Amino acid sequence: MSDKLIIFDTTLRDGEQSPGASMTKEEKLRIAKQLEKLRVDVIEAGFAASSNGDFEAVRAVADVIKDSTVCSLARANDRDIARAAEALKNAKSMRIHTFMATSALHMEKKLRMMPEQVHEQIKLAVRYARQFTDNVEFSPEDGSRSDLDFLCRVLETAIAEGATTINFADTVGYAVPELYGNLIRTLRSRVPNSDKAVWSVHCHNDLGMAVANSLAGVMAGARQIECTINGLGERAGNTSLEEVVMAVKTRRDFFKLDVGIDTTQIVPASKLVSGITGFPVQPNKAVVGANAFAHASGIHQDGVLKQRDTYEIMRAEDVGWAANKIVLGKLSGRNAFKQRLQELGIQLESEQDVNAAFQRFKDLADRKAEIFDEDIHALVSDQAVRHEADEHCQLVSMAQASETGERPHARVTMIVDGKETTSEADGNGPVDATFKAIESRLASGAELMLYSVNAITTGTESQGEVTVRLAKSGRIVNGVGADPDIVVASAKAYLSAVNKLHSKADRVNPQAGGI
Ligand code: KIV
Ligand code: ZN
């Protein structure tokens, strides 16, 4: 058995299935480049058959990524598999990941198929996928609630047809570590050709056990973990990459496995994904939360000052907290800015875009002495959203008055469909008044589902990054806005979400493709 643990990242596919987390091609590309820097073994770039947008995104990722295998999801049918293969055709190393539900519940109620029909379809699908590549993964969806005998037969067939990875999915997060580990162990011993495939774990976090289940699977012989940055994913999310990687690295004495991840890229990856998707990271989140290395109690502080490992089992700099570098300032020129964009893997489409980003950088540097990498990511995300949304509405200026004992008032001037307009409103606070002023003009009809504020870097000088989640007619979008003034950041986030709702750009969530 190999002692290398394969890290398969599915932030761009399963992670994207979180409500409001759908990404554009450009955003996926930026995350894919960061995942490559992180040295993940496999990047699941999307579900090519789910939409034209996702097809183009998978293709774009496959075209540029050289150091990681690029994978696309595909249902177990010829059309999906051919679409995945087409999108991946320029990849230096490609994988097709096909799946089909195997639990009685899913087969009967969702697929409306008999088990033998499902078995046959899996056989044909894996066989067909092998015509395009010798790197084929098969997942029995809802595997952890499937009948063991049926699973053994189906997985034996999938391997016999050439599946090189078998990914045992706990689709609804129902498993518990001991049982999940036992299932993997039993499958590996009962499926006669089990040694011809790498066994993989794919766990959801509905009961908060995704990481524990994945690691139990690894102890039972799985050698691939499917995970996402920040544990992003459908409902309660997926196994979080940073947690499993740091668990295996920190407790190498126990797991005795190697992972190829460059852990110093973990925090930058976490911040990038959070900024792009608008899913903030909770402060007490393991490894990447703002408090993960903070010691508040006097006893702990005293211990750490005397000898760090009294209370720290990992070093902040090893997971990339030190990567929070001051990169540029007010006096930095266009060339320095362009070079930093390159170092961060950000490719703007034209010189015009670079000029616009540089202008925004200069405006920010006038208001904030130290510009960090996170500031640059926020600035570029903001610009990409503007671009893509075709600027239905744009913030020109705003003012608010708030005083103890008075009801806050806001005035917002925007350009809406090319025309400048000003609106005013009162509210419970300056942010509420600002949103009401915007809505009194736009009447978007959208429902506000989430509002959150985060400091992008440290200190009170930091830009505030605001996420606004809006829902309308079944569509959910996240808008993100950054500014040293958090009320301005809030207005930007609100308008960015409204622009996304208005936009025709293809950011179809893969769920629409029918998983
Ligand atoms: O959770 C799941 O079952 C999946 C499969 C497509 C692997 O994401
Ligand atoms: Zn999943």
Side-chain angles (χ1 to χ4, degrees):
M1 195 187 305
S2 147
D3 60 359
K4 158 118 200 255
L5 183 61
I6 297 168
I7 301 297
F8 175 115
D9 180 280
T10 183
T11 307
L12 300 178
R13 197 278 299 169
D14 216 330
E16 203 201 15
Q17 288 177 216
S18 310
S22 55
M23 305 166 212
T24 61
K25 179 172 91 175
E26 190 275 339
E27 289 167 339
K28 281 196 165 193
L29 262 177
R30 278 168 58 209
I31 293 178
K33 285 180 191 158
Q34 178 60 29
L35 293 173
E36 187 181 38
K37 255 184 162 174
L38 186 62
R39 297 217 291 267
V40 305
D41 300 286
V42 186
I43 298 174
E44 188 162 53
F47 179 5
S50 72
S51 70
N52 289 338
D54 225 30
F55 176 87
E56 290 304 337
V58 174
R59 176 154 59 190
V61 172
D63 286 356
V64 302
I65 295 299
K66 301 288 170 243
D67 297 336
S68 309
T69 295
V70 182
C71 171
S72 172
L73 187 69
R75 281 165 297 196
N77 65 55
D78 287 4
R79 179 191 169 269
D80 271 31
I81 291 168
R83 256 335 241 166
E86 174 66 20
L88 293 169
K89 74 172 184 234
N90 293 334
K92 192 164 167 218
S93 163
M94 68 131 113
R95 175 181 294 185
I96 295 177
H97 174 192
T98 187
F99 74 99
M100 191 159 189
T102 49
S103 66
L105 182 67
H106 278 229
M107 289 189 292
E108 189 190 328
K109 302 290 179 203
K110 185 182 83 171
L111 300 176
R112 295 183 200 287
M113 287 170 77
M114 300 300 290
E116 281 325 307
Q117 290 174 296
V118 169
H119 190 167
E120 182 64 13
Q121 191 162 325
I122 291 169
K123 177 170 107 185
L124 296 178
V126 174
R127 186 180 292 174
Y128 186 57
R130 279 297 302 239
Q131 293 189 10
F132 300 99
T133 173
D134 56 9
N135 193 343
V136 173
E137 171 169 327
F138 172 71
S139 294
E141 190 193 9
D142 205 19
S144 56
R145 293 194 298 171
S146 302
D147 176 76
L148 198 56
D149 291 335
F150 180 62
L151 266 180
C152 287
R153 285 195 290 125
V154 161
L155 298 182
E156 181 182 354
T157 301
I159 297 171
E161 291 297 335
T164 41
T165 301
I166 295 294
N167 178 46
F168 190 57
D170 182 30
T171 305
V172 291
Y174 181 71
V176 290
E178 195 171 339
L179 299 182
Y180 188 74
N182 283 345
L183 273 170
I184 299 258
R185 203 169 282 113
T186 309
L187 288 168
R188 287 185 57 237
S189 73
R190 279 188 47 190
V191 173
N193 49 5
S194 69
D195 60 325
K196 304 279 182 304
V198 172
W199 289 74
S200 167
V201 288
H202 178 109
C203 298
H204 282 264
N205 205 30
D206 298 67
L207 294 172
M209 291 190 281
V211 168
N213 287 333
S214 300
L215 293 174
V218 167
M219 290 314 292
R223 286 296 173 265
Q224 172 177 284
I225 292 193
E226 300 204 350
C227 48
T228 59
I229 302 291
N230 300 337
L232 193 70
E234 191 117 279
R235 307 181 308 278
N238 285 64
T239 301
S240 82
L241 178 145
E242 56 280 4
E243 292 179 22
V244 282
V245 166
M246 290 317 291
V248 171
K249 281 235 170 203
T250 307
R251 297 307 309 271
R252 202 184 178 290
D253 59 318
F254 179 71
F255 290 104
K256 299 188 172 48
L257 289 169
D258 295 320
V259 277
I261 296 293
D262 175 357
T263 59
T264 63
Q265 293 299 327
I266 286 180
V267 169
S270 160
K271 292 195 178 219
L272 181 64
V273 169
S274 162
I276 285 181
T277 58
F279 276 67
V281 175
Q282 76 195 54
N284 59 333
K285 167 90 172 62
V287 185
V288 293
N291 291 351
F293 292 88
H295 300 280
S297 105
I299 297 176
H300 288 205
Q301 285 171 347
D302 181 54
V304 169
L305 288 175
K306 287 180 175 143
Q307 178 147 333
R308 197 168 161 148
D309 58 6
T310 50
Y311 287 100
E312 276 188 9
I313 57 164
M314 297 169 269
R315 297 186 329 156
E317 54 271 38
D318 289 349
V319 297
W321 280 104
N324 187 12
K325 282 185 272 170
I326 301 171
V327 286
L328 300 168
K330 202 178 156 115
L331 299 177
S332 310
R334 193 176 176 284
N335 281 346
F337 177 70
K338 222 175 143 179
Q339 186 182 335
R340 195 64 202 150
L341 287 180
Q342 256 167 25
E343 285 162 6
L344 292 173
I346 299 172
Q347 262 167 15
L348 296 179
E349 273 175 22
S350 62
E351 277 305 296
Q352 216 180 341
D353 286 346
V354 176
N355 292 341
F358 182 59
Q359 189 50 52
R360 292 160 68 79
F361 158 73
K362 281 292 199 191
D363 293 344
L364 181 63
D366 275 341
R367 301 163 64 205
K368 187 173 184 289
E370 299 167 331
I371 306 286
F372 295 84
D373 288 348
E374 289 83 349
D375 291 314
I376 296 184
H377 276 300
L379 183 144
V380 172
S381 294
D382 205 23
Q383 179 166 320
V385 170
R386 286 168 169 233
H387 225 282
E388 170 227 328
D390 237 2
E391 297 279 68
H392 160 55
C393 43
Q394 204 184 326
L395 181 67
V396 177
S397 63
M398 53 189 282
Q400 323 88 45
S402 65
E403 194 182 329
T404 321
E406 296 294 324
R407 194 158 160 76
H409 181 82
R411 192 179 67 242
V412 180
T413 301
M414 303 173 281
I415 294 177
V416 182
D417 291 332
K419 280 203 198 104
E420 191 164 304
T421 169
T422 298
S423 52
E424 307 195 21
D426 288 346
N428 282 343
V431 172
D432 186 46
T434 302
F435 287 3
K436 287 190 168 125
I438 294 174
E439 271 304 319
S440 75
R441 168 62 186 83
L442 296 181
S444 72
E447 185 194 345
L448 180 65
M449 297 180 74
L450 176 127
Y451 170 78
S452 84
V453 189
N454 249 317
I456 290 189
T457 51
T458 50
T460 50
E461 221 213 4
S462 163
Q463 293 199 84
E465 185 170 59
V466 174
T467 303
V468 165
R469 185 175 304 157
L470 295 180
K472 189 180 172 185
S473 316
R475 254 184 105 194
I476 301 175
V477 294
N478 284 325
V480 183
D483 198 276
D485 177 333
I486 58 167
V487 188
V488 176
S490 305
K492 286 183 179 173
Y494 196 92
L495 291 178
S496 128
V498 170
N499 280 333
K500 281 187 188 173
L501 280 177
H502 196 256
S503 158
K504 303 278 175 292
D506 202 344
R507 7 168 111 240
V508 178
N509 188 304
Q511 270 174 299
I515 292 191

